[in-house]
Amino acid sequence: MKLKIIILLIAAVITAAGAYEENYWPRSYFVRVGMGVTATTGDLNERPVSIKDTSGNKFKTYPPDMALMGDPEFLLGVNIREFTLAVAFQYWKQQEELVKISAEESTRFWRLGFEFYYNFFWPDYFQIGLGAGFSYTSVKTENSAIYRGEPQDTEFMGSGVGLMANVQYYFTNEIAIIPAVKFYRNWFKNVYTKDSENRELDPCLWQTFVSASISLQFQF
């Protein structure tokens, strides 16, 4: 449901932008590809989480200690005068140590978000963007829940709000290099395992993500 809301919101904004005459609201579209690192801290790094199976029996899952991870990022967006609207997607997979136990397992992280920026000094070749965003995040770790002595995968799912800043330097009208910093505050409200199915976490788990990246943008 949350993914549908994000997609509908993005479609509505882009459609509304297209309703204006281009002479009045000059616009361009872009594709951006980047790589960086993300540091994260919060409830996922601190303790095991107790959940219940479909019969109400409790068991534990051990979240990944995601202190530092890679951060490839892909963006599609539109510039409307000094404003930028973008859809951002991040995906990364690596071995992570599970909290409180000496074991490493494969962890898959992805985020789908909607971002809005105001670009100072537009339309110069050097611009500074300040923005905010909303995202949906999933963290899935193999063999991280122990149910009746048997391991199984765990997926934490939740939303987040973010603040972000970037510097845009245009070599040409089409190509720009963009270093960026993003701060996201996430709340993980749901957890899924095979034997618990989808369960709501009460209280939810809070996690902070801070990323630094550099991207190459092609504008058309």
Side-chain angles (χ1 to χ4, degrees):
M1 179 60 71
K2 292 177 182 177
L3 286 175
K4 291 182 180 178
I5 293 174
I6 292 174
I7 293 170
L8 288 173
L9 179 60
I10 293 169
V13 172
I14 293 176
T15 301
Y20 293 98
E21 294 184 5
E22 190 165 353
N23 290 334
Y24 185 74
W25 286 105
R27 61 184 178 270
S28 61
Y29 302 91
F30 65 86
V31 177
R32 190 181 301 171
V33 180
M35 184 66 192
V37 293
T38 292
T40 177
T41 185
D43 292 335
L44 290 179
N45 305 82
E46 294 180 355
R47 62 182 186 275
V49 178
S50 294
I51 53 179
K52 295 180 180 180
D53 65 14
T54 52
S55 299
N57 301 308
K58 286 187 177 182
F59 64 104
K60 287 186 177 181
T61 180
Y62 297 84
D65 186 9
M66 301 184 300
L68 193 67
M69 60 183 180
D71 185 21
E73 185 174 51
F74 311 91
L75 285 90
L76 296 174
V78 57
N79 296 312
I80 308 169
R81 289 180 58 89
E82 63 267 46
F83 302 100
T84 295
L85 303 171
V87 180
F89 181 71
Q90 296 165 276
Y91 181 93
W92 187 248
K93 192 173 183 179
Q94 67 184 36
Q95 292 290 117
E96 291 285 356
E97 185 172 341
L98 306 183
V99 297
K100 303 301 182 182
I101 58 176
S102 298
E104 286 192 355
E105 296 292 346
S106 178
T107 296
R108 184 267 291 143
F109 165 90
W110 66 262
R111 183 200 308 278
L112 177 64
F114 172 71
E115 300 177 359
F116 169 83
Y117 293 87
Y118 180 86
N119 301 307
F120 294 90
F121 311 123
W122 178 89
D124 292 347
Y125 280 94
F126 177 85
Q127 301 175 33
I128 296 176
L130 296 178
F134 177 82
S135 69
Y136 178 82
T137 302
S138 168
V139 177
K140 183 177 180 179
T141 307
E142 296 178 359
N143 303 319
S144 53
I146 307 300
Y147 182 77
R148 295 181 178 177
E150 297 294 329
Q152 56 184 274
D153 301 349
T154 305
E155 183 177 10
F156 291 95
M157 297 161 282
S159 302
V161 291
L163 298 175
M164 50 211 67
N166 64 37
V167 175
Q168 306 165 42
Y169 182 76
Y170 288 84
F171 296 101
T172 68
N173 289 330
E174 294 80 24
I175 300 175
I177 189 169
I178 303 176
V181 176
K182 298 184 180 182
F183 172 92
Y184 264 98
R185 185 64 170 162
N186 263 77
W187 57 95
F188 289 94
K189 191 65 175 176
N190 296 87
V191 60
Y192 177 88
T193 69
K194 176 183 175 182
D195 286 288
S196 69
E197 298 182 350
N198 190 49
R199 294 289 176 177
E200 185 172 304
L201 294 167
D202 187 18
C204 59
L205 303 179
W206 289 90
Q207 193 79 6
T208 299
F209 296 87
V210 180
S211 66
S213 64
I214 187 165
S215 302
L216 186 66
Q217 175 178 291
F218 179 75
Q219 181 174 269
F220 53 93

